[in-house]
């Protein structure tokens, strides 16, 4: 069987085998522009959530900022990493895993601080920022829906990340609404811890997959 006749890898195939089939030809120029727009939107979301999260001391916003950071880096990898050798992709994945941890750990620190001082974040700012982040993630999910299939695991991963982050934004909005009725740090802290655990799991998964990359694919 020739290389051109090789069937598409099933969903259960190792990530390294699937990524080996991805080349720079998988994304057309319009697709690359679309992914670049998504990366820019996620960068805006990252900055807004990080600034407001630090300003009002919100664990959930800082944890969600980690999601935006992850999405920015994932989309950058979609644009460039498929043109890199496996060794370079592995190093980029290690860096991605480490960067995901930074805002996640910051969110954990804020959660502890809020519990010690027993102070709730400003509920209107929390809710409004959650709505803002939800809009960005929904727009990104719509833009990336064309990459859901037929463009390798990186393209599908970018779409799934945007979709899953939108679900996290719904939790943040709920925390803000609950805080409006019940002035307590618990709603924000609980959502922040949930998102932090998810981010820690994502960082672990990225690190594990990078370590398991098959070096023979560089040949």
């Amino acid at each position: 069987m020739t290389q051109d006749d090789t069937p598409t890898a099933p969903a259960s195939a190792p990530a390294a085998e699937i990524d080996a089939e991805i080349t720079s030809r998988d994304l057309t120029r319009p697709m690359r522009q679309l992914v670049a727009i998504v990366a820019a939107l996620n960068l805006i979301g990252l900055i807004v959530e990080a600034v407001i999260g630090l300003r009002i001391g919100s664990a959930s916003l800082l944890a969600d900022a980690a999601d935006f950071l992850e999405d920015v880096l994932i989309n950058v990898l979609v644009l460039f990493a498929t043109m890199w050798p496996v060794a370079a992709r592995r190093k980029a994945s290690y860096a991605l895993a480490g960067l995901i941890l930074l805002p996640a750990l910051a969110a954990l620190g804020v959660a502890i601080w809020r519990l010690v001082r027993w102070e709730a974040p400003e509920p209107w700012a929390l809710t409004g920022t959650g709505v803002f982040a939800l809009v960005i993630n929904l727009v990104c999910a719509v833009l990336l829906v064309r990459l859901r299939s037929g463009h390798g695991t990186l393209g599908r991963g970018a779409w799934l990340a945007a979709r899953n982050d939108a679900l996290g934004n719904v939790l943040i909005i709920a925390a803000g609404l609950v805080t409006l009725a019940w002035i307590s740090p618990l709603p924000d802290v609980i959502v922040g811890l949930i998102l932090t655990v998810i981010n820690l799991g994502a960082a672990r998964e990225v690190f594990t997959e990078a370590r398991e990359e098959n070096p023979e694919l560089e040949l």
Side-chain angles (χ1 to χ4, degrees):
M1 180 178 293
T2 63
Q3 182 176 358
D4 293 338
D5 295 330
T6 302
T8 302
S12 59
E17 294 180 9
I18 299 175
D19 286 347
E21 300 175 0
I22 303 174
T23 68
S24 60
R25 296 188 300 272
D26 287 333
L27 295 180
T28 64
R29 183 174 180 179
M31 287 290 187
R32 290 183 181 278
Q33 292 174 343
L34 181 148
V35 173
I37 292 173
V38 170
L41 288 174
N42 278 292
L43 180 60
I44 293 173
L46 165 64
I47 294 173
V48 170
E49 280 202 325
V51 170
I52 297 180
L54 289 172
R55 185 181 182 89
I56 69 174
S58 169
S60 62
L61 290 182
L62 288 175
D64 199 51
D67 288 331
F68 274 122
L69 174 60
E70 178 184 3
D71 293 345
V72 170
L73 296 174
I74 285 176
N75 284 286
V76 169
L77 287 176
V78 169
L79 288 174
F80 300 109
T82 55
M83 296 180 286
W84 300 345
V86 171
R89 292 207 306 270
R90 182 187 292 115
K91 291 178 181 179
S93 296
Y94 286 150
L96 170 60
L99 288 172
I100 293 173
L101 290 175
L102 295 180
L105 294 176
L108 181 60
V110 170
I112 295 173
W113 175 61
R114 278 298 185 191
L115 289 175
V116 170
R117 300 192 61 175
W118 200 255
E119 294 178 350
E122 207 290 311
W124 284 112
L126 178 60
T127 304
T129 306
V131 172
F132 171 79
L134 177 61
V135 170
I136 286 184
N137 279 313
L138 289 178
V139 171
C140 290
V142 170
L143 292 175
L144 290 171
V145 71
R146 294 173 64 186
L147 298 180
R148 184 173 56 181
S149 62
H151 294 283
T153 52
L154 288 178
R156 180 173 174 79
W159 180 83
L160 288 174
R163 186 199 66 178
N164 294 341
D165 292 348
L167 298 178
N169 298 146
V170 172
L171 292 178
I172 293 176
I173 295 171
L177 294 176
V178 171
T179 305
L180 282 171
W182 176 42
I183 305 301
S184 168
L186 287 180
D188 175 68
V189 168
I190 292 173
V191 172
L193 291 177
I194 292 173
L195 297 179
T196 297
V197 170
I198 293 174
N199 289 329
L200 292 176
R204 180 179 179 275
E205 182 177 345
V206 169
F207 182 85
T208 300
E209 290 183 357
R211 188 175 57 186
E212 293 177 352
E213 282 272 27
N214 187 351
E216 295 179 358
L217 295 177
E218 297 180 77
L219 301 178

